[in-house]
Amino acid sequence: MPLARSWVETANAPDCPFPLNNLPYGVFSVEGSPPRCGVAIGDQVLDLTGLEADGHLRIATTPTLVAPSWNALMALGPDTWRALREKLTRMLDESEGEGAREIITPYLGPLSNVTLHMPFTVTEYTDFYASRHHATNVGTMFRGAENALPPNWLHIPIGYNGRASSVIVSGTDIRRPWGQVKAPEARQPTFSASARFDYELELGAIVGTSSQRPLTVAEADAMIFGYVLLNDWSARDIQAWEYQPLGPFQAKATATSISPWIVTAQALDGFRRPVPPRSYAPLPYLKEPHDTLFDIALEVDLARDGGVTALTRTNYAEMYYSSAQQLAHHASSGCPMRPGDLLGSGTISGPERENRGSLLELSWGGSDPFETHAGPRRFLEDGDEIVMRGAALGDGYQIGFGECRGRVLSALEDPFGRAT
């Protein structure tokens, strides 16, 4: 698919993450105004709440973009999603007449002047463990290469239910957590600040419509409204002590950062890729009727003291299970799904060291420090900022996600009382 040209000239630059082909959705505010729903185009944001309120954008019989989130629009379903995207594309296409441009222009403003907020209300949050490279690396560290993957891993998308309350928008600082940890040689655990705090590079899928029954992969794929970058912050020392027999708990409860722009599933349609070759044929309910992974180049940098070090360079197409398969499995028991449910892909890693999506892998559990401009890293230090970016790369354009940022703050001196 070629670049769709817009009369917003900055949207036509090859390095612009928000061309007319993209049109990601977010929630923004400017100084002195309440948050509003908007769409990014070039270096501008278009105020859709204002357009709808003033009668220039009709989505449904009643106003849809009143609340500062996209949940109400999601709940209207795929036909409405497509119709809105088509309307916005026509409004911003370079062939649009001058009269229409005059109507739309007052609702545009520079992205540099806005504050971005959570783009939707997270109703539930589930995180998966779906990269074979990541699972093999982690399993090899803890169980040896011959037992790296648990017996069920090649048959089932493994996941756990996380905390919706922990999901925060990019740019929010992350406080190093306290928790119960136990050194291998120690007789008793202690309660202390995590010394092995980590990032995990993931893609988050946002469920747009409700279900009350099992779903096919095709039905699940059609229910996904869009995608965000996701950082599953992880306290590895807390995790190592608590995870058996029920899996992660407090190690993953500190925070989960997401990028502020929802890249719609429609914008990514031209970048679909098949899942990798299987060791075993999936059970019928997990079979794909079409490609459900995407070719999305992903990167993670460590920023500190004015310098930047590349940590991870990988691609979402490396995943063993797609978000559609994860959603189909999640619903297979009849588990209700709702608009705003968030599914984390699991850490996205590839075959080489530079493709590893966490410091746990990059430093091989801390035994092989990873060199950065700020010194060697086994795990994150206070003041480190993790910056994630992603884009599907087209011919002369890109479908970008923007950034997912988070800076690590020192742990509270007194987690139960006086320190703030």
Side-chain angles (χ1 to χ4, degrees):
M1 183 182 297
L3 170 69
R5 296 190 64 84
S6 172
W7 54 266
V8 179
E9 287 297 331
T10 55
N12 302 323
D15 59 349
C16 174
F18 306 132
L20 187 57
N21 303 66
N22 192 350
L23 299 180
Y25 300 138
V27 171
F28 73 98
S29 64
V30 294
E31 188 174 358
S33 75
R36 310 169 77 79
C37 294
V39 62
I41 177 72
D43 63 356
Q44 304 286 301
V45 59
L46 178 61
D47 178 4
L48 299 189
T49 297
L51 276 172
E52 184 186 46
D54 294 342
H56 302 304
L57 180 65
R58 184 177 174 82
I59 299 171
T61 54
T62 57
T64 302
L65 302 178
V66 177
S69 84
W70 283 84
N71 293 59
L73 187 281
M74 292 181 209
L76 296 178
D79 289 343
T80 301
W81 307 346
R82 283 189 291 272
L84 175 59
R85 183 174 168 80
E86 289 169 3
K87 288 178 183 177
L88 295 175
T89 300
R90 288 195 300 271
M91 285 179 176
L92 295 165
D93 189 275
E94 69 174 359
S95 64
E96 188 63 66
E98 288 296 330
R101 294 189 198 184
E102 290 179 6
I103 293 172
I104 296 165
T105 297
Y107 299 91
L108 284 168
L111 278 169
S112 58
N113 290 349
V114 307
T115 298
L116 296 172
H117 305 275
M118 280 289 296
F120 68 105
T121 300
V122 181
T123 48
E124 304 281 357
Y125 170 49
T126 303
D127 196 27
F128 286 86
Y129 185 55
S131 161
R132 187 168 187 171
H133 299 293
H134 174 68
T136 299
N137 287 339
V138 173
T140 299
M141 276 181 242
F142 294 106
R143 295 183 296 274
E146 67 282 359
N147 297 308
L149 295 178
N152 60 355
W153 199 93
L154 293 169
H155 300 275
I156 185 173
I158 295 173
Y160 69 92
N161 288 316
R163 293 284 299 174
S165 62
S166 74
V167 183
I168 56 177
V169 74
S170 170
T172 307
D173 291 338
I174 312 301
R175 180 73 68 178
R176 181 181 298 274
W178 284 71
Q180 192 174 126
V181 300
K182 181 182 176 297
E185 68 280 2
R187 295 185 61 186
Q188 296 291 331
T190 61
F191 188 77
S192 60
S194 173
R196 295 163 68 90
F197 201 48
D198 200 0
Y199 72 91
E200 289 193 14
L201 169 64
E202 302 193 22
L203 198 70
I206 302 164
V207 177
T209 55
S210 298
S211 70
Q212 299 283 338
R213 59 172 176 79
L215 302 166
T216 67
V217 174
E219 289 172 327
D221 193 40
M223 284 174 58
I224 296 175
F225 178 66
Y227 297 85
V228 291
L229 300 178
L230 186 149
N231 186 347
D232 176 28
W233 301 94
S234 301
R236 301 301 188 183
D237 39 6
I238 298 173
Q239 183 177 359
W241 174 232
E242 75 176 4
Y243 83 101
Q244 294 193 38
L246 295 181
F249 182 37
Q250 292 302 91
K252 304 281 191 170
T254 302
T256 301
S257 298
I258 64 168
S259 52
W261 296 106
I262 302 171
V263 174
T264 65
Q266 289 175 268
L268 294 169
D269 256 345
F271 300 90
R272 289 183 177 269
R273 296 294 182 271
V275 293
R278 300 294 188 186
S279 297
Y280 303 96
L283 293 178
Y285 80 100
L286 286 175
K287 288 184 177 177
E288 293 180 297
H290 53 257
D291 296 343
T292 54
L293 287 178
F294 300 100
D295 180 4
I296 302 172
L298 299 163
E299 59 185 50
V300 182
D301 292 338
L302 184 148
R304 187 186 178 110
D305 302 329
V308 176
T309 296
L311 297 179
T312 304
R313 298 293 184 268
T314 190
N315 195 294
Y316 177 65
E318 294 282 357
M319 298 302 283
Y320 197 79
Y321 295 105
S322 68
S323 296
Q325 289 175 308
Q326 292 168 347
L327 177 53
H329 180 65
H330 206 329
S332 63
S333 64
C335 173
M337 308 304 296
R338 296 182 293 172
D341 284 356
L342 176 65
L343 307 183
S345 64
T347 304
I348 304 168
S349 295
E352 306 299 330
R353 189 184 190 194
E354 67 176 14
N355 307 141
R356 297 173 184 173
S358 66
L359 275 172
L360 177 69
E361 296 168 88
L362 287 168
S363 72
W364 206 250
S367 65
D368 183 15
F370 187 86
E371 294 298 328
T372 78
H373 73 279
R377 289 292 185 273
R378 289 178 170 84
F379 294 96
L380 295 173
E381 296 187 1
D382 296 346
D384 288 348
E385 184 174 27
I386 292 297
V387 184
M388 297 179 173
R389 301 181 188 86
L393 304 178
D395 183 10
Y397 69 96
Q398 56 180 289
I399 305 297
F401 285 74
E403 293 183 339
C404 181
R405 287 180 171 264
R407 183 168 59 98
V408 179
L409 302 181
S410 60
L412 295 173
E413 292 183 11
D414 179 356
F416 299 112
R418 294 168 296 281
T420 57

